[in-house]
Amino acid sequence: MFNTGIATKLRSIRDSIVYNEINYVPTIIERPKNLIHSKSQAWVGLESILKDITNFSGCENNHALEFGVEFGYSSSALSNYFTKVTGVDIFTGDEHAGFHGDIYELTRNNLKDYTNVELIRSDYRDFIKGNEQHFDLIHVDIIHTYEATYECGLWSAQHSTVSIFHDTESYKDVKRAVADIAKACNKKFYNYKKYNGLGIII
Ligand SMILES: C[S@@+](CC[C@H](N)C(=O)[O-])C[C@H]1O[C@@H](n2cnc3c(N)ncnc32)[C@H](O)[C@@H]1O
Protein backbone atom coordinates (compact mmCIF):
# COMPACT_ATOMS: atom_id res chain seq x y z
CA MET A 1 0.00 0.00 0.00
CA PHE A 2 1.44 3.36 -1.06
CA ASN A 3 1.60 5.61 1.97
CA THR A 4 -1.16 8.25 1.61
CA GLY A 5 0.84 10.67 3.77
CA ILE A 6 3.68 10.56 1.23
CA ALA A 7 1.21 10.97 -1.66
CA THR A 8 -0.28 14.05 0.01
CA LYS A 9 3.17 15.55 0.58
CA LEU A 10 4.18 14.93 -3.03
CA ARG A 11 0.94 16.55 -4.27
CA SER A 12 1.62 19.49 -2.02
CA ILE A 13 5.15 19.92 -3.39
CA ARG A 14 3.88 19.59 -6.96
CA ASP A 15 1.13 22.20 -6.35
CA SER A 16 3.53 24.66 -4.79
CA ILE A 17 5.58 24.46 -8.00
CA VAL A 18 2.76 24.29 -10.58
CA TYR A 19 0.48 26.88 -8.94
CA ASN A 20 3.09 28.90 -7.10
CA GLU A 21 1.01 28.45 -3.95
CA ILE A 22 2.21 29.12 -0.44
CA ASN A 23 0.90 26.84 2.30
CA TYR A 24 -1.21 28.95 4.69
CA VAL A 25 -0.73 28.24 8.38
CA PRO A 26 -3.05 30.28 10.60
CA THR A 27 -1.81 31.31 14.02
CA ILE A 28 -5.19 32.37 15.44
CA ILE A 29 -8.02 29.88 15.59
CA GLU A 30 -11.13 31.62 16.89
CA ARG A 31 -14.69 30.42 16.54
CA PRO A 32 -16.92 33.46 15.89
CA LYS A 33 -19.69 34.06 18.44
CA ASN A 34 -22.56 34.38 15.97
CA LEU A 35 -23.16 31.65 13.42
CA ILE A 36 -26.28 30.23 11.82
CA HIS A 37 -26.78 26.49 11.72
CA SER A 38 -25.23 25.20 8.51
CA LYS A 39 -27.27 22.99 6.17
CA SER A 40 -24.08 22.20 4.26
CA GLN A 41 -20.84 21.15 5.96
CA ALA A 42 -18.61 22.29 3.08
CA TRP A 43 -17.55 25.62 4.63
CA VAL A 44 -17.66 24.58 8.29
CA GLY A 45 -14.23 25.03 9.90
CA LEU A 46 -13.24 28.06 7.85
CA GLU A 47 -15.15 30.43 10.14
CA SER A 48 -12.39 29.83 12.70
CA ILE A 49 -9.60 31.30 10.55
CA LEU A 50 -11.36 34.51 9.45
CA LYS A 51 -9.89 36.53 12.32
CA ASP A 52 -6.44 35.25 11.36
CA ILE A 53 -6.95 36.21 7.71
CA THR A 54 -8.01 39.76 8.60
CA ASN A 55 -4.92 40.12 10.83
CA PHE A 56 -2.53 38.54 8.34
CA SER A 57 -3.76 40.59 5.38
CA GLY A 58 -3.96 43.79 7.39
CA CYS A 59 -7.37 44.55 5.86
CA GLU A 60 -9.75 46.99 7.50
CA ASN A 61 -12.97 45.75 9.02
CA ASN A 62 -15.50 47.98 7.31
CA HIS A 63 -17.04 46.17 4.36
CA ALA A 64 -16.86 42.58 3.13
CA LEU A 65 -18.47 41.29 -0.06
CA GLU A 66 -19.46 37.71 -0.70
CA PHE A 67 -20.26 36.12 -4.07
CA GLY A 68 -22.17 32.90 -3.30
CA VAL A 69 -24.29 33.09 -0.15
CA GLU A 70 -26.53 30.06 -0.54
CA PHE A 71 -28.12 29.44 2.89
CA GLY A 72 -26.00 32.09 4.59
CA TYR A 73 -23.42 30.23 6.68
CA SER A 74 -20.29 31.99 5.42
CA SER A 75 -22.12 35.36 5.45
CA SER A 76 -22.99 34.84 9.11
CA ALA A 77 -19.33 34.04 9.86
CA LEU A 78 -18.09 37.16 8.04
CA SER A 79 -20.63 39.34 9.85
CA ASN A 80 -18.62 38.85 13.08
CA TYR A 81 -15.58 40.62 11.66
CA PHE A 82 -16.95 43.38 9.40
CA THR A 83 -19.22 46.33 10.06
CA LYS A 84 -21.14 45.49 6.89
CA VAL A 85 -21.38 42.36 4.73
CA THR A 86 -22.95 42.42 1.26
CA GLY A 87 -23.94 39.01 -0.09
CA VAL A 88 -24.57 38.53 -3.81
CA ASP A 89 -26.24 35.38 -5.15
CA ILE A 90 -28.73 34.33 -7.78
CA PHE A 91 -30.31 32.22 -4.98
CA THR A 92 -31.27 29.41 -7.35
CA GLY A 93 -28.14 27.27 -7.01
CA ASP A 94 -25.81 25.82 -9.59
CA GLU A 95 -24.62 22.46 -10.89
CA HIS A 96 -21.96 22.14 -8.17
CA ALA A 97 -23.83 23.45 -5.11
CA GLY A 98 -27.07 21.85 -6.28
CA PHE A 99 -30.44 23.31 -7.23
CA HIS A 100 -32.71 23.95 -4.27
CA GLY A 101 -35.39 26.11 -5.93
CA ASP A 102 -35.62 29.79 -5.03
CA ILE A 103 -34.02 30.11 -1.58
CA TYR A 104 -33.87 33.91 -1.33
CA GLU A 105 -36.62 34.21 1.33
CA LEU A 106 -35.28 31.19 3.24
CA THR A 107 -31.78 32.71 3.37
CA ARG A 108 -33.15 36.12 4.34
CA ASN A 109 -34.97 34.42 7.19
CA ASN A 110 -31.84 32.45 8.20
CA LEU A 111 -30.00 35.78 8.48
CA LYS A 112 -32.82 37.85 10.00
CA ASP A 113 -30.86 38.53 13.21
CA TYR A 114 -27.73 39.54 11.25
CA THR A 115 -28.66 43.15 10.70
CA ASN A 116 -25.28 44.05 9.18
CA VAL A 117 -25.77 41.56 6.30
CA GLU A 118 -27.36 42.90 3.13
CA LEU A 119 -28.47 40.39 0.48
CA ILE A 120 -28.56 41.25 -3.21
CA ARG A 121 -30.15 38.90 -5.69
CA SER A 122 -27.90 39.23 -8.71
CA ASP A 123 -25.63 37.34 -11.03
CA TYR A 124 -22.02 38.27 -10.23
CA ARG A 125 -21.65 39.45 -13.85
CA ASP A 126 -24.32 42.12 -13.44
CA PHE A 127 -22.96 43.15 -10.04
CA ILE A 128 -19.39 43.73 -11.25
CA LYS A 129 -20.30 45.45 -14.53
CA GLY A 130 -18.94 49.01 -14.29
CA ASN A 131 -18.62 48.63 -10.50
CA GLU A 132 -15.52 50.36 -9.11
CA GLN A 133 -16.30 49.94 -5.39
CA HIS A 134 -13.48 48.79 -3.11
CA PHE A 135 -14.03 46.20 -0.37
CA ASP A 136 -11.80 45.16 2.52
CA LEU A 137 -12.35 41.46 1.87
CA ILE A 138 -14.17 39.61 -0.92
CA HIS A 139 -15.17 35.96 -0.64
CA VAL A 140 -15.76 34.07 -3.90
CA ASP A 141 -17.79 30.85 -3.62
CA ILE A 142 -19.94 30.61 -6.76
CA ILE A 143 -20.17 27.92 -9.43
CA HIS A 144 -16.75 26.23 -9.51
CA THR A 145 -15.85 26.47 -13.17
CA TYR A 146 -12.52 27.96 -14.27
CA GLU A 147 -14.19 30.70 -16.35
CA ALA A 148 -16.61 31.98 -13.69
CA THR A 149 -14.02 31.79 -10.89
CA TYR A 150 -11.48 33.62 -13.04
CA GLU A 151 -13.85 36.38 -14.17
CA CYS A 152 -15.43 36.98 -10.77
CA GLY A 153 -12.15 36.43 -8.93
CA LEU A 154 -10.05 38.75 -11.09
CA TRP A 155 -12.50 41.59 -10.46
CA SER A 156 -12.51 40.65 -6.74
CA ALA A 157 -8.71 40.64 -6.44
CA GLN A 158 -8.63 44.03 -8.15
CA HIS A 159 -11.30 45.53 -5.88
CA SER A 160 -10.27 44.32 -2.42
CA THR A 161 -7.39 44.23 0.01
CA VAL A 162 -7.75 40.47 0.36
CA SER A 163 -9.81 38.03 -1.70
CA ILE A 164 -10.60 34.49 -0.57
CA PHE A 165 -11.81 31.55 -2.66
CA HIS A 166 -13.50 28.41 -1.39
CA ASP A 167 -12.92 24.90 -2.77
CA THR A 168 -9.34 25.15 -4.02
CA GLU A 169 -8.75 21.56 -2.89
CA SER A 170 -12.01 20.00 -4.06
CA TYR A 171 -12.12 21.67 -7.51
CA LYS A 172 -8.91 21.76 -9.56
CA ASP A 173 -10.44 24.44 -11.82
CA VAL A 174 -10.86 26.75 -8.83
CA LYS A 175 -7.23 26.32 -7.81
CA ARG A 176 -6.08 26.90 -11.40
CA ALA A 177 -8.16 30.07 -11.67
CA VAL A 178 -6.91 31.39 -8.32
CA ALA A 179 -3.29 30.75 -9.31
CA ASP A 180 -3.84 32.56 -12.64
CA ILE A 181 -5.56 35.52 -10.95
CA ALA A 182 -2.70 35.94 -8.45
CA LYS A 183 -0.22 35.89 -11.33
CA ALA A 184 -2.24 38.40 -13.40
CA CYS A 185 -2.46 40.77 -10.41
CA ASN A 186 1.11 40.25 -9.29
CA LYS A 187 -0.19 39.15 -5.87
CA LYS A 188 0.56 36.17 -3.66
CA PHE A 189 -1.53 32.98 -3.57
CA TYR A 190 -1.72 31.40 -0.12
CA ASN A 191 -3.63 28.15 0.16
CA TYR A 192 -5.23 26.73 3.29
CA LYS A 193 -5.76 23.06 2.58
CA LYS A 194 -8.39 22.12 5.17
CA TYR A 195 -12.18 22.20 4.75
CA ASN A 196 -12.05 21.78 0.95
CA GLY A 197 -9.40 24.44 0.59
CA LEU A 198 -9.39 28.21 0.85
CA GLY A 199 -7.29 30.26 -1.55
CA ILE A 200 -6.18 33.62 -0.19
CA ILE A 201 -4.91 36.31 -2.56
CA ILE A 202 -3.08 39.25 -1.04
C1 LIG B 1 -21.30 26.77 -2.78
S1 LIG B 1 -22.68 27.80 -2.68
C2 LIG B 1 -22.19 29.06 -1.56
C3 LIG B 1 -22.05 28.55 -0.14
C4 LIG B 1 -21.83 29.61 0.89
N1 LIG B 1 -20.68 30.44 0.60
C5 LIG B 1 -21.60 28.97 2.25
O1 LIG B 1 -20.63 28.21 2.39
O2 LIG B 1 -22.35 29.22 3.18
C6 LIG B 1 -22.62 28.57 -4.26
C7 LIG B 1 -23.67 29.64 -4.50
O3 LIG B 1 -23.28 30.39 -5.65
C8 LIG B 1 -24.44 30.83 -6.32
N2 LIG B 1 -24.08 31.16 -7.71
C9 LIG B 1 -23.74 30.30 -8.71
N3 LIG B 1 -23.49 30.96 -9.82
C10 LIG B 1 -23.66 32.29 -9.56
C11 LIG B 1 -23.55 33.49 -10.33
N4 LIG B 1 -23.26 33.45 -11.63
N5 LIG B 1 -23.75 34.67 -9.71
C12 LIG B 1 -24.09 34.72 -8.39
N6 LIG B 1 -24.24 33.61 -7.62
C13 LIG B 1 -24.03 32.42 -8.19
C14 LIG B 1 -25.42 29.67 -6.19
O4 LIG B 1 -26.74 30.11 -6.30
C15 LIG B 1 -25.08 29.12 -4.79
O5 LIG B 1 -25.98 29.60 -3.82
Side-chain angles (χ1 to χ4, degrees):
M1 187 185 76
F2 189 60
N3 188 316
T4 50
I6 294 174
T8 307
K9 270 211 178 91
L10 286 176
R11 195 163 72 96
S12 179
I13 293 166
R14 189 207 56 198
D15 281 7
S16 67
I17 296 163
V18 174
Y19 300 109
N20 211 13
E21 73 178 60
I22 306 162
N23 189 34
Y24 190 73
V25 183
T27 54
I28 305 166
I29 302 291
E30 173 189 282
R31 189 175 156 78
K33 263 207 310 242
N34 305 309
L35 289 167
I36 64 164
H37 171 74
S38 184
K39 239 180 138 150
S40 151
Q41 291 301 297
W43 216 84
V44 174
L46 293 173
E47 69 291 324
S48 299
I49 65 159
L50 287 177
K51 169 91 178 153
D52 188 80
I53 292 170
T54 60
N55 273 20
F56 183 72
S57 66
C59 74
E60 290 192 42
N61 298 91
N62 300 317
H63 199 174
L65 172 66
E66 173 165 84
F67 291 110
V69 176
E70 202 178 37
F71 299 108
Y73 184 75
S74 48
S75 305
S76 74
L78 287 167
S79 79
N80 289 267
Y81 299 108
F82 294 90
T83 309
K84 183 175 177 185
V85 176
T86 299
V88 174
D89 198 306
I90 47 180
F91 292 108
T92 47
D94 61 63
E95 67 192 70
H96 298 134
F99 297 101
H100 311 281
D102 185 339
I103 57 166
Y104 177 73
E105 289 301 336
L106 173 66
T107 303
R108 252 175 63 118
N109 190 52
N110 288 347
L111 293 168
K112 65 178 184 311
D113 298 328
Y114 294 75
T115 52
N116 62 339
V117 179
E118 170 199 34
L119 296 182
I120 298 178
R121 187 206 284 270
S122 170
D123 192 291
Y124 78 83
R125 287 168 283 208
D126 299 321
F127 186 86
I128 67 177
K129 205 177 287 167
N131 189 337
E132 289 306 331
Q133 267 180 289
H134 177 89
F135 297 87
D136 299 310
L137 177 148
I138 302 181
H139 173 223
V140 178
D141 192 12
I142 52 167
I143 188 169
H144 295 317
T145 59
Y146 177 88
E147 292 73 19
T149 306
Y150 188 84
E151 184 181 36
C152 181
L154 182 63
W155 182 90
S156 299
Q158 291 167 336
H159 291 82
S160 64
T161 307
V162 54
S163 47
I164 61 177
F165 300 77
H166 190 217
D167 279 322
T168 49
E169 289 302 303
S170 41
Y171 287 85
K172 235 337 127 240
D173 284 342
V174 171
K175 183 179 272 196
R176 216 160 44 85
V178 175
D180 289 350
I181 293 162
K183 197 172 172 193
C185 297
N186 205 15
K187 292 188 175 195
K188 288 203 166 100
F189 166 25
Y190 295 89
N191 189 41
Y192 183 60
K193 290 188 192 299
K194 290 169 85 172
Y195 313 120
N196 298 305
L198 191 74
I200 302 160
I201 293 185
I202 304 172

